Amino acid sequence: MNLLIIAISAALVNNVVLSQFLGLCPFLGVSKKINTAAGMGGAVIGVITISSAICSLIYDFILTPLDLTYLNTIVFILVIATLVQFVEMLLKKTSPALYEALGVYLPLITTNCAVLGIALTNVQNGYNFITSVVSGVGTAIGFAIAIIIMAGIRERIEYNDVPESFKGMPIVLLTAGLMSIAFFGFSGIL
């Protein structure tokens, strides 16, 4: 039951993009089309889940016993960068169209503060391996939900009559703010 609460909390209540404002670069950059947003969401789900697991193991079995916990940020960045390279190679081989559509935003997962943020948050909260993975999956699913919803809204906005002063990024930021307020309603769940 505790794991379910952590997953729902990470995905909806404390959504990494809409509540914590982490990972806004790919959220705003890749959310123009639902297909690319779903691809980015899938890539982030894989990277955050695997990095949460690996970072938890490294922290618990290497950094803590050797009293090197002060190196956790550097080690976590190296793990994340390695995982992103693997995801990039995998997408290039299996789905060249998605690889091209994601463009520069795929390597930017390495610097996506949501990925590093969840690894550091798991350590700060003292989560064990299973809890870290559940927290990572919940966070990643929350990111995917947010980016896909934003892409759907942006596709509909494209065909609407938007005042000139709101065209482009202003309407996107306004939409993100309204989505953030809407997700605030989930805080009553837990």
Side-chain angles (χ1 to χ4, degrees):
M1 187 64 174
N2 191 29
L3 294 177
L4 181 64
I5 290 172
I6 289 172
I8 291 172
S9 174
L12 299 176
V13 178
N14 297 319
N15 186 284
V16 70
V17 176
L18 300 173
S19 294
Q20 300 176 17
F21 305 111
L22 297 174
L24 287 175
C25 184
F27 175 72
L28 297 174
V30 183
S31 63
K32 293 180 183 173
K33 300 286 180 200
I34 291 178
N35 293 339
T36 56
M40 176 59 85
V44 168
I45 286 173
V47 169
I48 287 181
T49 302
I50 295 169
S51 70
S52 293
I54 293 173
C55 289
S56 176
L57 291 173
I58 289 173
Y59 187 81
D60 290 340
F61 295 110
I62 297 173
L63 297 180
T64 301
L66 296 175
D67 198 28
L68 298 172
T69 55
Y70 60 91
L71 293 175
N72 64 358
T73 303
I74 295 169
V75 171
F76 294 173
I77 289 172
L78 291 172
V79 167
I80 292 165
T82 304
L83 287 172
V84 170
Q85 290 302 311
F86 283 128
V87 168
E88 192 172 1
M89 290 186 305
L90 180 71
L91 282 179
K92 193 172 187 179
K93 285 279 192 197
T94 60
S95 181
L98 180 59
Y99 174 78
E100 290 297 322
L102 292 176
V104 70
Y105 292 100
L106 186 58
L108 282 179
I109 295 175
T110 302
T111 59
N112 186 343
C113 53
V115 181
L116 178 61
I118 192 61
L120 292 174
T121 301
N122 289 341
V123 167
Q124 290 171 353
N125 289 338
Y127 290 165
N128 62 20
F129 175 75
I130 300 294
T131 311
S132 293
V133 172
V134 169
S135 175
V137 170
T139 299
I141 289 172
F143 179 88
I145 289 170
I147 196 169
I148 291 170
I149 291 172
M150 175 60 100
I153 293 171
R154 284 182 77 173
E155 282 185 1
R156 300 222 36 194
I157 288 174
E158 188 175 324
Y159 300 109
N160 290 332
D161 186 27
V162 177
E164 190 64 36
S165 60
F166 283 105
K167 285 188 178 180
M169 197 50 69
I171 194 70
V172 173
L173 292 173
L174 184 63
T175 303
L178 291 172
M179 284 177 61
S180 182
I181 292 169
F183 268 67
F184 184 68
F186 289 121
S187 63
I189 290 178
L190 302 177

